[in-house]
Amino acid sequence: MAEKGKKGIMDEKLFGLPLPYFAVVSLIVLGAGFLGKLESKSLVCGGAVCVVFGYWLSFIANKVWFIRKTIGLAFVGIAGAAMVYFNLIPENILTPASAFMNETNFLAFYIAALLCGSILGMDRKLLIQAGIRYFVPIMGGVILAYGLGGLAGVLVGMDFKETVMFVAAPIMGGGNGAGAVPMSEIYANATGADKADFYSRLMAMVTLGNWFAMLGALILKWLGDRYPKTTGRGVLMEGFRPEDSAKEYSYTMTTEDMVAGLGLALGFYIFGRIANILLPSIHAYAFTIGFVALCKICGWIPERLEFGAVKWYRFMMDHFTIVIMGGVGLTMMDLGELLAVLTPKYVFVVFIVVLGAALGAGLIGLLVKFFFVESAITAGMCMANGGGNGDILVLSMADRMNMMSFAQISSRLGGALILVIQSILASMWL
C-alpha cells in the first residue's frame, strides 16, 4: 500500500488517463490490431497505436533508473525501432501508425504548433539578437565538419573530396526529403549517373549521422549538467536567464485561446507551403519560421493571440511529443540501415564529422555570446541529424524541446545552404 501523500503505480497517468484505464484502452487497441480491425489509413487508429506504444515505452523509460539517467525519453524512439527491426509488431498495427505519421502527416501538424508557439512566445529582444547571429555557428559547424571529416577519410584510405561529398555533406544536409533526395539529383545532374545509386549512398550516411547526433546530444546534456557555465539550460544566448527566454502573459486561458493558437499555427504552416512554390529549393518550414519571426519582431500579432499560440504549443509539446516519438520509432527509424553501414571505417569518419559539427558550432557560438552546449546542440547536432524527426530525437535526448525553432532553422535553412554548397562542389569535384 502506498504511503499517504505518495503516489502508487496505479495512481499514475498516461496520456491523461489513470494507468488502469490506459491499460484497458491499450488492450482494446492492440486487440483490434491483431483482429485486423484497425483501419489502415486512419488518423484515429494510427494515432491510437502511437499513443499506446509511445506512452508505455515512456513509462518504462521513466521507471528504469539507467534509462532515465542516460538516454531518457529518446528510449521511446529507439525501442520502437528495435521492436520493428526484430519483427515484434504485426503489420496490422504498423500500417496505421505509418499512415498516421506519413500520409495524414501528423508530424507536420505537431511541428507547426512548435514553430509558431515557440517563436511567438520568445522574448522579442532575444529573438532579434540571437536570430541575426545564428548562422555564424552554423557555418562554424559546417566548416569543421567538412574539414575534419575529409581529413578523417584520408586517414582511413578514402579520398578527401569523396569523403566530403558522400559522407560529410549528406550528414549536414537536412535529412532525407530536404537533403539526400535533392542532393542525389544534384549529383546525378552533374555526372549523368543514376540518382538512385547516389541516393542509397547518401541516405546510409544520413542514418548513421543521425544516430551519432543523438549520442552527441546526450553527451552535451551531460556536459551542461556537469559544467553549468557551459549551458543556458535551454537558452541560446548569454545575458539571459532561462525564464527570460519566454514571455510571460497575464491572461487566464480559455478554450478559445487554444483554438486561436491552432488557427495561427495552421495559417503560418500553410503560408510556408505557398511561399515554397516561389522558391522550391527552400523548404516550406523555412518560410514558416521566417514569417513567424517577422510577425513577432514587428509586433503584428496581438498579444492575446500570441498567448493562444503559446498555450497550444505547450499543450502539443507536453502531451504529443511522446506520441510523435513513438510514431517516429515505429515508422521512421530503420535499424537495418544503420547496421548496414556499421563498418569501422565509416563509423570513425561519421563520428569525426559529427564531432566537427558540434565543436565548430559550439566554439564559434562562443564568439557571438551563445552558450556552448545550446549552440552545439542546435547549430551543430541539429545540422548533423536526420531532419525533422532527427530534431525531435536530438532535442528530446538533450531535454531541450523548447529549442525546436532554432533546430528547424538548422535543418531547413541550414539544409538549404548545404544544397547550395554542394551544387558548387558537384560542378568542380564530380
Side-chain angles (χ1 to χ4, degrees), residues 151-172:
L151 292 175
V154 172
L155 286 176
V156 295
M158 298 170 63
D159 180 73
F160 182 92
K161 295 177 182 178
E162 178 189 2
T163 306
V164 169
M165 299 300 286
F166 293 100
V167 181
I171 289 173
M172 302 298 287

Side-chain angles (χ1 to χ4, degrees), residues 267-281:
F268 279 118
Y269 172 80
I270 294 172
F271 171 88
R273 292 187 62 82
I274 294 171
N276 175 249
I277 296 172
L278 302 176
L279 288 171
S281 60

Side-chain angles (χ1 to χ4, degrees), residues 101-120:
M101 294 296 293
N102 298 307
E103 295 185 40
T104 68
N105 204 3
F106 190 81
L107 180 61
F109 183 76
Y110 170 83
I111 290 177
L114 266 61
L115 294 183
C116 181
S118 62
I119 295 175
L120 290 181

Side-chain angles (χ1 to χ4, degrees), residues 10-44:
M10 290 300 174
D11 297 319
E12 298 202 28
K13 291 186 176 182
L14 301 180
F15 202 58
L17 293 172
L19 190 144
Y21 287 87
F22 189 82
V24 171
V25 170
S26 301
L27 289 173
I28 292 170
V29 172
L30 296 177
F34 282 106
L35 293 172
K37 291 299 181 181
L38 290 177
E39 296 171 298
S40 60
K41 296 182 180 180
S42 167
L43 182 70
V44 175

Side-chain angles (χ1 to χ4, degrees), residues 61-118:
N62 287 325
K63 291 299 177 185
V64 178
W65 180 89
F66 175 76
I67 298 174
R68 188 174 70 248
K69 293 294 185 180
T70 54
I71 63 175
L73 289 179
F75 171 80
V76 174
I78 296 170
M83 293 172 74
V84 173
Y85 179 75
F86 291 108
N87 297 313
L88 300 179
I89 305 175
E91 202 64 35
N92 285 343
I93 293 176
L94 284 178
T95 300
S98 179
F100 174 72
M101 294 296 293
N102 298 307
E103 295 185 40
T104 68
N105 204 3
F106 190 81
L107 180 61
F109 183 76
Y110 170 83
I111 290 177
L114 266 61
L115 294 183
C116 181
S118 62

